[in-house]
Amino acid sequence: MPKLGRFPPFGKRFFRRARKLIGSCHFAHFWRAVVSLAAMQGRRSMRKLEACCRNHSTRQSIGFFLSKAHWDAPQLLAETAIDTLKGLGWQSGDPLHLVLDDTQKRKRGKLMEAVSKIFLHAEKVYAQGHTIVACAIVYRNVVIPYAVRLWATSEFCKKTQKKSYDGDPIEFRKLTQLAADIITDCPLEKVTVLFDSYYLCPNVTHACAAQQYRWAGVAKKNRNFFPDGRDRDKRKLSSYGANALKRLGKWVKHEGKTYRLAERVGRLSKLGRVKLVFSRRAKEKCWIAIATNETRWGALRVLRHYLNRWPIEILFKESKQYLGLGDYQMLRYRGVVRYLHLVLIAHLLLTHLGGVAQGAQANDKNKPLDLPSVPQLQLHLREKLWDDTINSMEQGTRNRRIGKKLKQVILLET
């Protein structure tokens, strides 16, 4: 990719909110870091970030920007996400899905803050690393990163409360409390919150109730369920769901796949009155129980809503594989958190470019958007950067002849 010199003209619309929030002092570091992370190939590192900035930033200045400079990363990500959402044609009042989930990243650094023993679900082993809680908005089949939090142990949080600690004090929060905080701070309306079985708990559901949000999540099969009209008839979902599917289930088709669905209304332990939808795909033995506080929805509608939870898994995979979500080298807690925010803002930049290229605002809002993949959007971004570099050379005085010659060669090839 080309070296980043002047501010790219195609980024004016995307970075206009960030310029106001972050201030002129740190804006140059910010936009160069975001564009570098979005366009860079291979593994990210401080050395590569420095090389992309064409001597405008050193590793020390980038490290200072991430660890000690004064700017609000969560607010910047949230407001940039809402701006990107509006760029896709969203208007206040349009229905949205807010998806919550977490991911783990193995880290071997002994001096890196907030590292703890975690269970890596993909590898089925215990290791040292970080747990990252993320929230994304799903609109018209497009996933938009909205918030990210880095979980820290109670021991590390106590350490940050001491006067000897050189940094901001951190209050200990459970993973479910971090998710509830994200929901509480969300200013959007007509939201349906989606999550897996770990986040189906009072912390998250009470936060949804306070915001008047609908929610849907998978219930573990060891939970107790009391059907309507039988308050003392306690049933385990493991046996109750299997019997309901066998006796009352009906086959339905959705997006080319066949499901057997059964629904029941009652009281779920610790959550109150809910609707349960038991779902099993054709030719499979496994089934799930989807719980929701919207008891008026039909079984197929509940399933249709919950299937929108999968895009956040794709977000994690793409961010790690193509944007370097886990490639951070910062030792300080604040530096790691800000790096995670920059990676997700880089993802928003690619989404913005894809939405502009497809004219998302001019399309029918009732139809899903089919944006290019992240590698295709990265290639598109690199082409824009090369075009801007050649144009700047042609308009300058020092390399004008080289710029004109390069432009002629490119025009002949195309």
Side-chain angles (χ1 to χ4, degrees):
M1 62 172 288
K3 307 296 181 183
L4 300 178
R6 68 175 188 176
F7 181 74
F10 60 84
K12 289 182 179 179
R13 181 179 174 184
F14 178 79
F15 287 106
R16 61 184 177 183
R17 175 79 64 177
R19 189 189 292 270
K20 296 178 181 178
L21 293 176
I22 204 168
S24 57
C25 296
H26 306 304
F27 180 70
H29 287 300
F30 171 76
W31 76 260
R32 286 192 175 94
V34 170
V35 175
S36 299
L37 290 170
M40 194 183 299
Q41 293 175 293
R43 187 177 178 85
R44 274 68 173 168
S45 66
M46 298 292 286
R47 181 183 59 82
K48 287 188 176 181
L49 284 176
E50 180 185 23
C52 288
C53 294
R54 195 197 290 176
N55 299 324
H56 289 281
S57 300
T58 62
R59 274 181 280 185
Q60 290 77 12
S61 62
I62 296 173
F64 178 86
F65 169 69
L66 290 174
S67 297
K68 296 186 178 181
H70 296 287
W71 55 285
D72 193 344
Q75 181 187 8
L76 193 57
L77 173 61
E79 297 205 13
T80 305
I82 294 176
D83 279 352
T84 306
L85 185 63
K86 293 177 180 178
L88 296 177
W90 174 83
Q91 295 179 351
S92 180
D94 292 346
L96 295 171
H97 291 99
L98 199 68
V99 189
L100 295 165
D101 205 355
D102 59 73
T103 185
Q104 296 81 29
K105 180 60 185 176
R106 185 200 294 260
K107 282 296 174 181
R108 295 182 173 87
K110 295 182 179 180
L111 299 179
M112 187 172 289
E113 295 183 342
V115 171
S116 61
K117 187 176 181 180
I118 59 174
F119 181 72
L120 301 173
H121 298 284
E123 303 174 29
K124 305 298 182 183
V125 296
Y126 286 93
Q128 296 292 319
H130 283 144
T131 301
I132 303 166
V133 182
C135 174
I137 300 169
V138 179
Y139 175 69
R140 298 173 69 183
N141 283 3
V142 178
V143 56
I144 302 170
Y146 175 75
V148 62
R149 302 288 186 269
L150 181 64
W151 179 77
T153 61
S154 58
E155 291 79 7
F156 174 73
C157 292
K158 289 178 181 178
K159 181 181 176 181
T160 63
Q161 304 293 334
K162 298 179 180 179
K163 294 182 179 180
S164 59
Y165 179 72
D166 183 20
D168 296 331
I170 301 168
E171 182 185 359
F172 173 70
R173 308 287 285 171
K174 296 180 180 179
L175 288 175
T176 54
Q177 290 173 331
L178 291 175
D181 293 341
I182 294 173
I183 296 171
T184 302
D185 296 337
C186 183
L188 302 172
E189 299 177 352
K190 286 193 175 181
V191 171
T192 302
V193 185
L194 308 175
F195 38 79
D196 60 14
S197 58
Y198 184 83
Y199 294 96
L200 187 62
C201 64
N203 283 334
V204 176
T205 56
H206 290 170
C208 293
Q211 293 285 88
Q212 297 182 351
Y213 289 167
R214 298 165 175 170
W215 55 262
V218 169
K220 291 184 178 180
K221 296 180 181 179
N222 61 351
R223 301 191 76 149
N224 296 320
F225 179 69
F226 302 83
D228 261 2
R230 292 178 285 178
D231 291 340
R232 297 184 180 181
D233 188 7
K234 183 172 68 174
R235 304 290 186 91
K236 285 286 185 184
L237 288 185
S238 55
S239 57
Y240 185 79
N243 292 333
L245 280 171
K246 183 178 179 180
R247 298 159 75 179
L248 304 170
K250 297 182 180 179
W251 292 104
V252 297
K253 282 192 176 182
H254 177 63
E255 295 183 350
K257 297 179 181 179
T258 305
Y259 300 87
R260 187 172 180 85
L261 301 179
E263 57 184 280
R264 276 289 179 266
V265 177
R267 181 167 58 86
L268 194 63
S269 57
K270 300 181 181 180
L271 295 182
R273 194 168 186 267
V274 300
K275 167 168 277 192
L276 287 180
V277 174
F278 304 101
S279 171
R280 177 172 64 83
R281 288 179 60 176
K283 300 180 181 180
E284 291 186 3
K285 294 182 179 180
C286 298
W287 55 271
I288 61 172
I290 306 172
T292 178
N293 63 336
E294 187 53 76
T295 57
R296 296 172 297 177
W297 285 350
L300 181 58
R301 187 174 181 182
V302 173
L303 176 66
R304 191 185 302 121
H305 277 282
Y306 187 74
L307 290 177
N308 286 285
R309 199 197 71 84
W310 181 250
I312 197 170
E313 304 289 352
I314 300 174
L315 171 66
F316 286 143
K317 183 178 179 180
E318 291 178 339
S319 299
K320 289 180 179 179
Q321 187 171 356
Y322 300 113
L323 299 175
L325 183 67
D327 293 345
Y328 49 86
Q329 299 173 329
M330 309 301 297
L331 300 180
R332 305 301 300 272
Y333 179 87
R334 180 195 274 185
V336 174
V337 169
R338 286 179 169 178
Y339 176 88
L340 297 175
H341 282 83
L342 290 178
V343 170
L344 296 185
I345 293 174
H347 191 284
L348 290 175
L349 173 61
L350 296 175
T351 304
H352 167 76
L353 294 176
V356 170
Q358 294 213 356
Q361 287 188 335
N363 294 339
D364 184 2
K365 293 195 300 182
N366 296 323
K367 296 181 179 179
L369 281 173
D370 186 18
L371 297 186
S373 64
V374 168
Q376 292 173 330
L377 291 172
Q378 286 180 310
L379 180 61
H380 179 56
L381 174 59
R382 287 192 284 269
E383 290 175 352
K384 281 183 167 292
L385 291 174
W386 276 117
D387 291 341
D388 181 61
T389 300
I390 294 172
N391 289 334
S392 64
M393 292 173 64
E394 186 184 17
Q395 294 170 5
T397 57
R398 185 176 180 181
N399 300 313
R400 182 178 298 176
R401 292 184 179 179
I402 299 175
K404 289 183 177 180
K405 198 69 176 177
L406 286 172
K407 205 164 191 178
Q408 291 174 1
V409 171
I410 293 172
L411 289 174
L412 289 173
E413 290 181 353
T414 55

